[in-house]
Each structure stands twice: as structure tokens, then as C-alpha cells.
Amino acid sequence: MRTKILVTGGLGFIGSHTVVALQEKGFEVIIIDNLSNSYVQVLDGIEKITNQRPIFEQIDLREKEMVKKFFEKYNDIEGVIHFAASKAVGDSVKKPLVYYENNLSTLIYLLQELQKNSRANFIFSSSCTVYGQADNLPINEKAPIKTAQSPYGNTKQIGEEIIADTCKINLNLNAISLRYFNPIGAHSSAEIGELPIGTPQNLIPFITQTAIGQRKELMVFGNDYPTRDGTCIRDYIHVMDLASAHVLALERLIKRKEDSNFEIFNLGTGNGNTVLEVINTFEKSTGINLKYKFSDRREGDVIAAFADTVKANNVLGWKAERSLAEALQSAWKWQKRFA
Ligand code: UD1
């Protein structure tokens, strides 16, 4: 019998790549997704890569009764990776209650079900956004949490607090929170990737859509930051590297290797790149000239963020292996499928 894992939001960007990595490692995957920001066709892409079609349940996790029924139907799930959440920062400012309800009630309902088990393993999708503008770079897991800049960011902070409080009183619950830096790229096969609905908010989809001619030009938000070329610095991490970190985290939980029943890891490459460096690397590695111009700073952007990877390297045994050029090439290969 294969170990059954529930992946919520498993048809989304990071979720779908993690499903592939799990299936390749022999896990049996059940996906819950409400298709609010994803497509059911992603299942075909996953199947093409792995020759396996995961079980799919179209459930909205805000429906508490449905969550309960799901766990009655699948009573032998050994781990949950919880990706399902809303993630557009600007949107969250306009619709705070939608974000708080969606990102927090779903987490609570899942934990309520898991509490009933004698043993439960849980992985939470968090973000480096919890650090805000960190005082020291690279950012390690002990860096203080800063006041959130948006309801979205706040849901990640509160989400972690909910898990920490629950783990304190429920020692059967073992949880890991993974704080991602900037996930980019697509599967090397280009069968799955990022599918932003509407105008993309993030840099890489904007770059590839501009390169393909879908958008006139890229706006670089600010060129007067105190960095080496005036543009912001981020730690761009290939989504396939991120996916393998989830498998390692899950194995750590299943094997009971944790130092405490709630652990936190930063997931990044450890390298920071400016927006202009990303543009140059894209141009060099694809041979395409990108049209861009500078505009005002975007509200809420931090100057620089990149990960201290020591804990993930030493404790989780994980290291990012793919380069920025490779990640950008994979994003481009994926974008070209929609030409
Ligand atoms: C953003 C969120 C972060 C969230 C993450 C999830 C903000 C302020 N932060 O991270 O909380 O966890 O997405 O996906 O929204 N840029 C441009 N032009 C563009 C788009 C982006 O110059 O058209 C620049 C930004 O100013 C930034 C960098 O590119 O310096 C990366 O931006 P983005 O991809 O949106 O990621 P973050 O802002 O780092």
C-alpha cells in the first residue's frame, strides 16, 4: 500500500509541481482544489509527466461539512500539504474578508479534522513576506516577523500562529511551515507551469507575456532603491526545487525526525538578484529582447530579500539545484505553449 497524501490546491502552480514530485517518489496523491485559480486540465499535464492520474476531489475547503465528509471517505491519509489559498497581494487589500475567510477558515477546518487522528502530518505554505524588510540579509528563520503589509501577508502570519498554538496542545500533530522566497519557472517538460488568470502580478509571468507579445512592455517598479543597480532584490527559486523540498519535509514528518512538532524552514536559493539582472538573464538565455521601462515604486515592495539556506541545507537536507537561467528558460518554454 502506498502512503496517501492529501494536497490541497494541488492544481495550482506550486501544488501541481509538488504532486508530480510526490508521485515520482511513490506517494499516492489525492488533490482537493476548488478551481478558483486553476484548471482541471492540469491533471492531464501531471498524468503525462508521471503516467499516473492523481485522485481529484473538487471541494471548496470553506465548506466545513465537505471537509469532514472528505476525511470520512479517506480515513487513511498520512500527510496533508496545504497549498489552497488566495495569493494576490493587491486583491487582498481590496477584499480583506474574502482573504481572511478563505486562507484561515480552510486551515482551521483541516486542523480540526487532523486533531481527531492519533497521528497527523501537516505542511503549510508560508511566505518570506512574513519578514517584511528584514534588518539583516540573508534572512534566517530567527528574523523577527514584521507587521504585515497586506491582508494576504497577514493570513500567512496568523496561519503560522494558528498552527503553532494547535501544535502546543496537540502533540500528535506534527507540522512544518515552509516560507517560500520567489517561486518561478515551470516543469522542464512544459506540461505544467504557472497559469495566472488575468493580468499577472508577479515579475516572471509579466516578463514572458511581454516577450511573447501579449503585453506591450514590462514596467520595472522603481530604479532608485539602494541596491547595486537601483532595482529590488529577490531570491528567485525554481518551482521544481521547491517541490522537492516539500517531499523532503513530508518524509521528515513521516519518519518523525523533527526536533519539535512545529518547525519552520526558509526555502530559497540564498542568492539575491535585481529586477534588471533577471531581465538580462532572461534576454541572454532565451535570445529575446525585452521591452521595458522604469516606473514608480510599487507600494509595499521591500528593497531586498534573500534566504539564509543553512537550516534547510543542514536540517532538511535540501538545496536548490537549478539556476536562475534554467528557471527562466523553463518559464519561457511554458509560455510558448500559449503562443
Ligand atoms: C509578491 C508579494 C509577496 C507574495 C508573492 C507571492 C508583493 C509586494 N509581494 O512577492 O507577498 O508572497 O508575490 O507570489 O506583492 N516587478 C516589476 N514589474 C512587474 C512585477 C514585479 O518590476 O511587473 C518587481 C517587483 O517590484 C519586485 C520583483 O519584481 O521587485 C518581484 O515581484 P513579484 O514577482 O511581484 O514578487 P514579490 O513582490 O517579491
Side-chain angles (χ1 to χ4, degrees):
M1 271 266 288
R2 292 188 299 156
T3 308
K4 272 201 192 116
I5 306 300
L6 165 63
V7 180
T8 76
L11 297 181
F13 176 42
I14 308 172
S16 58
H17 290 81
T18 301
V19 169
V20 165
L22 287 167
Q23 293 196 152
E24 284 174 343
K25 278 279 184 143
F27 290 99
E28 182 174 356
V29 176
I30 301 149
I31 292 174
I32 287 183
D33 202 297
N34 68 355
L35 302 179
S36 61
N37 193 20
S38 61
Y39 301 90
V40 73
Q41 289 81 355
V42 174
L43 285 171
D44 302 333
I46 294 171
E47 190 177 0
K48 269 199 186 139
I49 300 168
T50 61
N51 288 320
Q52 284 170 66
R53 200 170 180 86
I55 301 167
F56 170 52
E57 297 277 355
Q58 187 177 340
I59 290 172
D60 191 315
L61 292 165
R62 283 170 292 198
E63 291 182 45
K64 191 173 177 168
E65 270 311 299
M66 297 295 286
V67 180
K68 198 166 164 235
K69 280 198 185 117
F70 172 87
F71 281 97
E72 280 161 12
K73 181 171 170 192
Y74 300 96
N75 57 11
D76 54 352
I77 285 176
E78 291 196 36
V80 177
I81 307 184
H82 181 41
F83 292 104
S86 304
K87 63 170 185 179
V89 176
D91 201 31
S92 80
V93 176
K94 288 185 205 126
K95 302 181 223 156
L97 293 178
V98 172
Y99 272 67
Y100 285 116
E101 185 191 24
N102 192 32
N103 293 5
L104 297 178
S105 71
T106 59
L107 172 66
I108 293 167
Y109 300 158
L110 284 170
L111 292 177
Q112 281 173 337
E113 289 308 312
L114 292 181
Q115 274 213 23
K116 296 176 184 166
N117 298 349
S118 57
R119 203 180 125 156
N121 300 314
F122 187 77
I123 295 177
F124 181 62
S125 277
S126 188
S127 166
C128 69
T129 194
V130 301
Y131 300 117
Q133 180 56 68
D135 302 321
N136 298 302
L137 294 167
I139 304 170
N140 70 37
E141 291 80 354
K142 294 202 174 94
I145 304 294
K146 297 269 174 81
T147 306
Q149 296 282 325
S150 68
Y152 159 76
N154 211 14
T155 65
K156 294 298 172 191
Q157 298 188 3
I158 299 169
E160 287 192 350
E161 286 170 6
I162 290 172
I163 299 166
D165 289 342
T166 312
C167 283
K168 256 184 226 154
I169 49 99
N170 188 335
L171 298 180
N172 297 329
L173 179 65
N174 286 265
I176 289 181
S177 180
L178 299 175
R179 292 178 179 163
Y180 316 139
F181 280 67
N182 287 56
I184 62 163
H187 193 268
S188 49
S189 65
E191 293 296 346
I192 54 172
E194 194 171 2
L195 279 170
I197 291 174
T199 309
Q201 312 293 320
N202 297 110
L203 180 61
I204 301 336
F206 218 102
I207 287 180
T208 58
Q209 291 193 4
T210 307
I212 211 138
Q214 209 171 316
R215 315 219 161 253
K216 214 170 101 238
E217 59 192 355
L218 168 77
M219 296 292 178
V220 175
F221 299 141
N223 62 348
D224 57 351
Y225 284 100
T227 62
R228 46 189 177 264
D229 61 21
T231 62
C232 291
I233 293 178
R234 297 287 183 275
D235 184 338
Y236 296 93
I237 165 102
H238 197 304
V239 66
M240 288 177 76
D241 280 329
L242 211 55
S244 47
H246 288 78
V247 178
L248 286 172
L250 182 72
E251 287 171 344
R252 183 173 171 81
L253 290 171
I254 289 173
K255 291 182 189 146
R256 286 292 173 273
K257 285 197 176 161
E258 285 195 302
D259 298 326
S260 83
N261 70 330
F262 182 42
E263 291 181 325
I264 292 172
F265 295 97
N266 284 347
L267 297 181
T269 65
N271 300 315
N273 284 107
T274 66
V275 178
L276 288 179
E277 286 165 358
V278 172
I279 293 172
N280 289 336
T281 309
F282 181 83
E283 291 186 326
K284 261 198 209 132
S285 58
T286 62
I288 286 170
N289 258 336
L290 208 59
K291 262 188 93 181
Y292 68 88
K293 71 174 184 207
F294 295 110
S295 69
D296 289 346
R297 291 180 175 196
R298 179 173 69 180
E299 209 184 319
D301 268 343
V302 298
I303 304 164
F306 50 96
D308 182 326
T309 60
V310 172
K311 190 177 177 193
N313 292 173
N314 294 348
V315 182
L316 202 56
W318 173 84
K319 207 173 170 28
E321 284 168 0
R322 295 162 178 90
S323 66
L324 176 63
E326 203 177 337
L328 293 172
Q329 279 166 346
S330 70
W332 179 231
K333 187 175 170 189
W334 169 246
Q335 179 70 63
K336 280 192 290 187
R337 292 198 55 169
F338 303 93

